[in-house]
Amino acid sequence: MLVRPMVGRWELPRIEGIRSHEARRLVVLPVPGLSGSLQQDLGRDAMEVEIVGSLSGDQARDDFLKELRTQFLAGEPVDFVADIVHESELEQVLITAFTLEESADVPDEFRYRLVLREYTEPPEPPGLASDFGLGVEIGRAHV
């Protein structure tokens, strides 16, 4: 079943291409006397999705820019669905970048490029324990 890519409740218009990028975070640790290097896997990076498309007409451009800039400036995570991320655990994204391009060659058309990055809810900050410092005994200094 085909799913039209949507950012929040907004269906992206006239998509020409969509790609996803996933990578692992590896630390290379050189060890003296060892042939090669040790590698430590620190897990995966956040998935990134790039969407490229185009629109025609001033009204379509203005509507697109209004919706896109509103979501971009808010800086809040939004829901995202698309076929390309079907088997991933990607549910929410941040709009990290967008590019708009108009050309005199085709004056009534503009192209857009949208970059989305997987959003992960940060963990709760540790709170102060209710017994903070109660288990510590303060001794007297002996002279």
Side-chain angles (χ1 to χ4, degrees):
M1 182 171 96
L2 292 176
V3 176
R4 293 280 305 166
M6 294 187 69
V7 176
R9 295 183 310 246
W10 180 47
E11 185 175 321
L12 297 170
R14 291 189 53 196
I15 294 174
E16 296 173 4
I18 184 169
R19 74 171 184 87
S20 68
H21 175 75
E22 296 180 69
R24 299 212 60 81
R25 292 176 293 191
L26 298 176
V27 176
V28 178
L29 305 165
V31 177
L34 180 66
S35 182
S37 299
L38 292 178
Q39 296 186 26
Q40 182 178 2
D41 186 351
L42 299 178
R44 67 176 184 83
D45 275 337
M47 180 188 290
E48 196 169 80
V49 177
E50 178 183 16
I51 302 170
V52 178
S54 64
L55 284 175
S56 297
D58 291 339
Q59 187 63 44
R61 180 194 61 227
D62 293 346
D63 293 345
F64 178 82
L65 288 175
K66 180 180 179 185
E67 182 68 31
L68 180 59
R69 283 204 171 108
T70 299
Q71 290 186 17
F72 177 74
L73 293 174
E76 297 292 324
V78 292
D79 293 334
F80 177 70
V81 294
D83 284 339
I84 198 166
V85 297
H86 179 66
E87 291 300 322
S88 72
E89 295 178 9
L90 181 68
E91 294 178 2
Q92 290 192 311
V93 296
L94 293 171
I95 300 171
T96 60
F98 68 93
T99 306
L100 303 169
E101 180 182 325
E102 289 185 275
S103 172
D105 295 341
V106 187
D108 196 33
E109 185 174 291
F110 78 97
R111 297 179 51 76
Y112 67 89
R113 178 181 165 268
L114 190 60
V115 180
L116 310 171
R117 182 174 279 266
E118 178 181 9
Y119 175 77
T120 303
E121 188 75 32
E124 289 291 322
L128 294 176
S130 60
D131 63 347
F132 183 72
L134 295 179
V136 177
E137 291 185 28
I138 301 176
R140 295 187 182 155
H142 297 308
V143 183

